[in-house]
Amino acid sequence: MTSQLLALCFDAHDPLRLSQFWAGVLGWEPADDPYDAISLAPNDDTGFHLRFVAGEERKAGPNQTHFDLTSTSPEDQRRTVATALDLGARHIDIGQRPEEGHVVLADPEGNEFCVLEAGNTFLADCGFLGALASDGSREVGYFWSQALGWPLVWDQDEETAIRSPHGGPKITWGGPPVARKVGKNRLHFDVAPPAGVDQQAEVERLVSLGAKRIDIGQSDGEWVVMADPDGNEFCVMPPR
């Protein structure tokens, strides 16, 4: 039994505006959402949606997770950067060096993302959304591999990566030092057990893997709010 990754969820001050930005960058289309959130569906083998919900917390430091977008050529990289800037992104400096080749941007709400140079071998067989690059420990990489049933595709020097057997982006964790968590993450996973599997049983399985139930002031709802071994929030939804 494993959880299914339903969505990567953005807390946004303006969910509609942020969804329009990412729809324009990724080419994804609006989709119906069972919880009346604003949702985008992929146009490739990415197996999860992007979901945008209202959140009032101010951004405090870099996000724990950011997108790595791939390029097929220098011209393609410049085109992606230009499109993102036209849609409301901006250049930011997070200490990157010019020789590294990637371009670091922030979306209209300050969420960081990278447009990688062409020829990135690690993401060579991934699509345009190449990776969800995350700050995190080896332990949390192992946890999510077991939670989702996605195999480890990288496990060296305390850096880990997993990928769905069906393709799509990799999820990576950079290993120590892991930044101290400040406030609630602005991006989190929404997962669910498969149809016919009891939600509470899946919650208990995730606890046995190292997660814990947490209280972030949520109202009574159909989902259970949890934290992974690094303290990153995620939601367990009812079976789908």
Side-chain angles (χ1 to χ4, degrees):
M1 179 176 66
T2 57
S3 289
Q4 301 170 318
L5 178 55
L6 301 181
L8 177 66
C9 189
F10 285 74
D11 287 353
H13 295 156
D14 187 343
L16 178 59
R17 171 72 182 90
L18 195 60
S19 72
Q20 291 170 337
F21 171 84
W22 282 110
V25 171
L26 298 175
W28 293 18
E29 296 291 336
D32 292 336
D33 188 274
Y35 298 100
D36 295 324
I38 297 173
S39 185
L40 298 178
N43 58 5
D44 56 16
D45 61 358
T46 300
F48 56 86
H49 286 204
L50 298 183
R51 180 176 284 154
F52 302 84
V53 298
E56 299 300 326
E57 289 192 34
R58 297 179 62 86
K59 191 171 187 295
N63 287 341
Q64 182 264 344
T65 294
H66 69 267
F67 290 157
D68 279 346
L69 306 182
T70 64
S71 303
T72 58
S73 67
E75 294 76 17
D76 184 46
Q77 183 186 31
R78 288 192 289 270
R79 189 161 45 246
T80 298
V81 171
T83 297
L85 293 174
D86 287 345
L87 290 168
R90 58 184 173 87
H91 288 277
I92 59 172
D93 183 357
I94 58 169
Q96 68 272 23
R97 300 184 300 275
E99 63 269 21
E100 289 178 312
H102 59 273
V103 178
V104 184
L105 302 172
D107 72 18
E109 296 207 2
N111 302 302
E112 305 86 359
F113 64 100
C114 294
V115 184
L116 305 183
E117 67 279 15
N120 184 292
T121 56
F122 182 64
L123 302 179
D125 60 343
C126 298
F128 180 44
L129 176 50
L132 310 183
S134 308
D135 186 37
S137 64
R138 176 189 246 175
E139 180 186 11
V140 87
Y142 287 0
F143 167 82
W144 281 108
S145 176
Q146 293 177 290
L148 299 176
W150 292 11
L152 285 161
V153 295
W154 182 264
D155 185 10
Q156 294 186 26
D157 301 323
E158 298 193 66
E159 299 177 355
T160 52
I162 63 175
R163 191 183 187 200
S164 168
H166 305 294
K170 294 177 179 177
I171 307 178
T172 71
W173 292 271
V178 177
R180 183 176 67 88
K181 191 172 184 297
V182 180
K184 180 178 179 291
N185 289 341
R186 299 184 85 190
L187 282 72
H188 70 265
F189 291 146
D190 285 346
V191 306
V197 175
D198 180 68
Q199 181 186 25
Q200 184 56 40
E202 179 61 0
V203 168
E204 292 171 1
R205 186 185 75 90
L206 293 169
V207 168
S208 75
L209 295 176
K212 61 181 179 180
R213 296 183 67 142
I214 59 171
D215 183 355
I216 57 170
Q218 67 269 23
S219 59
D220 292 335
E222 296 181 343
W223 53 86
V224 177
V225 182
M226 305 191 75
D228 68 20
D230 279 359
N232 303 302
E233 303 87 0
F234 67 97
C235 294
V236 182
M237 318 302 280
R240 292 290 304 276

